[in-house]
Amino acid sequence: MDITILGIESSCDDTSAAVIRNTTMLSNVIASQAVHITYGGVIPELASRAHQQNIIPVVDTALKNAGVTVDKIDAIAFTRGPGLLGSLLVGTSFTKGLAIANNIPMVEVNHLQGHILSHFIDLPDRDMPHPSFPFLCLLVSGGHTQIVKVNSPLEMEIIGSTIDDAAGEAFDKCAKVMGLPYPGGPVIDRLAKEGDASAFKFAKPHVKGEFDYSFSGLKTSFLYTLRDKVAEDPDFVEKNKANLCASLQKTIIDILLDKLIKATKALGIKDVAIAGGVSANSGLREAVAETGRRRGWRTFIPELKFTTDNAAMIAIAGYYRYQQGILSGLDVSPVARLEEIL
Ligand code: KG4
Ligand code: ZN
């Protein structure tokens, strides 16, 4: 029997709703919040207010685009965390309201598992290539950087993690120092294409954990380089923007791949996926594909629309949980930190 899931994502600064039938995406609507651009970062209180304004029209559009009415929905999947508590609260409360009013079960989803399971979404006109279990997923987002061993849609082990900043934070914070707009990742990606990646050298971390990451040292190294150079020439950043971006991006990619390669060797796994906002980075996508070709991996690089936050990934994660009968009660509350979920 077909299973139709409405997914709702509101963990950070994108309000999104999607409908999937089994693994096929019927709609995926995302309202991005422009309000944060002025501040150079997400302001939590403004994010929750924008979610409140967006959520009804976004869900309504997702249902209409899918050609589905609420009575055809088998379950509502929503992001329980991790993320900004106020933002998560909007999605969770809205889900409860819709669930009670229409007598539909709710399914909570871990946002990070959603990113990973986006690799199992099919499109109406074509099936997508899916990794085989177990596979390794490099999960790189604004808040997390992890290597995850995925044993099944519901069973995942974090085998490596950042001990400080996430890769996305390294992009965003360094971009901010250069005076680039938020979020910095996509801007650096664009500027890096014009630059020479060997122009500058930044510190690479030595982290104890075999598959763990660290990005705060790189951020400091970047900051010091800029400070010293700007003292000599106030126009340094303006003149060297492309080279700075290219060198920084290359360093981040090298750090990410180094541990990923170690993990594939140690675990003997050759199906390798990337997921999360930073997996939109063109340099990382190319580097993973190229490394895969050299090392005989099957690589899974998500379509751009599934890299950053979206509700289709929440819906597919909800689909697998619903299939196993894992539902959430009305007493469920959102959680900000990953540790509170696992
Ligand atoms: O997964 P995501 O949308 O939200 C979180 O769950 O955190 O990831 C957002 C992060 C931001 O740090 C953003 O700068 C980064 O993804 N990002 C990129 C690119 N597109 C988004 N970083 C590098 N290159 C990109 N093209
Ligand atoms: Zn995310």
Side-chain angles (χ1 to χ4, degrees):
M1 220 188 50
D2 282 342
I3 297 174
T4 307
I5 306 278
L6 169 66
I8 293 178
E9 153 65 28
S10 71
S11 66
C12 190
D13 58 342
D14 294 307
T15 320
S16 181
V19 177
I20 63 166
R21 179 157 297 141
N22 304 320
T23 58
T24 303
M25 183 177 92
L26 302 183
S27 67
N28 187 32
V29 177
I30 303 172
S32 295
Q33 304 179 356
V35 60
H36 308 288
I37 292 172
T38 339
Y39 301 95
V42 176
I43 310 291
E45 184 54 30
L46 295 180
S48 358
R49 281 189 215 170
H51 281 306
Q52 257 174 338
Q53 284 172 349
N54 290 343
I55 197 150
I56 293 176
V58 164
V59 169
D60 203 40
T61 309
L63 289 168
K64 285 202 178 104
N65 288 359
V68 166
T69 46
V70 178
D71 58 302
K72 297 288 182 298
I73 299 290
D74 292 298
I76 312 170
F78 65 99
T79 306
R80 184 177 174 217
L84 301 170
L85 203 52
S87 294
L88 292 164
L89 200 54
V90 176
T92 310
S93 309
F94 179 84
T95 302
K96 285 184 189 178
L98 196 62
I100 298 170
N102 296 281
N103 202 18
I104 306 171
M106 303 191 303
V107 182
E108 69 191 69
V109 168
N110 171 338
H111 179 85
L112 300 175
Q113 292 191 346
H115 271 302
I116 294 172
L117 293 172
S118 64
H119 282 284
F120 295 90
I121 302 169
D122 290 311
L123 297 176
D125 56 344
R126 70 199 136 106
D127 282 355
M128 305 296 284
H130 305 312
S132 308
F133 300 106
F135 68 94
L136 284 181
C137 185
L138 174 67
L139 175 66
V140 271
S141 72
H144 296 84
T145 298
Q146 301 173 339
I147 300 177
V148 183
K149 180 172 174 242
V150 188
N151 298 317
S152 77
L154 299 180
E155 206 198 317
M156 305 187 188
E157 295 167 58
I158 300 169
I159 63 161
S161 196
T162 180
I163 58 168
D164 41 56
D165 289 355
E169 263 174 294
F171 273 109
D172 295 342
K173 287 180 179 169
C174 292
K176 199 170 182 177
V177 184
M178 287 188 279
L180 301 175
Y182 177 87
V187 185
I188 291 184
D189 191 355
R190 186 159 38 79
L191 289 168
K193 293 195 172 94
E194 323 276 307
D196 171 8
S198 61
F200 298 99
K201 293 266 172 293
F202 302 114
K204 283 193 187 158
H206 297 280
V207 187
K208 270 216 194 95
E210 209 181 347
F211 311 126
D212 287 339
Y213 290 111
S214 163
F215 286 100
S216 78
L218 169 62
K219 183 186 64 192
T220 311
S221 161
F222 188 80
L223 202 73
Y224 283 179
T225 305
L226 245 60
R227 195 191 56 182
D228 294 348
K229 302 279 188 188
V230 169
E232 292 164 15
D233 174 7
D235 295 330
F236 172 79
V237 175
E238 205 43 56
K239 287 180 194 157
N240 292 280
K241 225 171 232 177
N243 284 352
L244 284 166
C245 289
S247 304
L248 174 72
Q249 178 168 302
K250 170 84 167 47
T251 313
I252 295 176
I253 294 169
D254 286 351
I255 296 172
L256 288 172
L257 275 167
D258 178 46
K259 295 292 175 93
L260 181 62
I261 293 169
K262 280 201 179 108
T264 59
K265 281 193 204 158
L267 279 81
I269 293 178
K270 287 188 176 273
D271 270 20
V272 179
I274 56 173
V278 180
S279 70
N281 185 267
S282 57
L284 178 64
R285 296 164 78 87
E286 269 167 39
V288 169
E290 169 57 25
T291 308
R293 277 193 291 275
R294 263 200 338 264
R295 295 183 172 271
W297 299 348
R298 286 206 307 163
T299 52
F300 298 86
I301 318 268
E303 296 219 344
L304 283 176
K305 62 174 171 289
F306 296 134
T307 57
T308 46
D309 292 346
N310 66 85
M313 71 187 198
I314 302 304
I316 188 94
Y319 163 80
Y320 287 114
R321 289 175 80 86
Y322 179 79
Q323 227 185 11
Q324 299 296 317
I326 309 170
L327 306 178
S328 301
L330 278 172
D331 57 348
V332 66
S333 53
V335 290
R337 290 163 55 81
L338 177 66
E339 295 72 30
E340 300 168 81
I341 300 176
L342 295 174

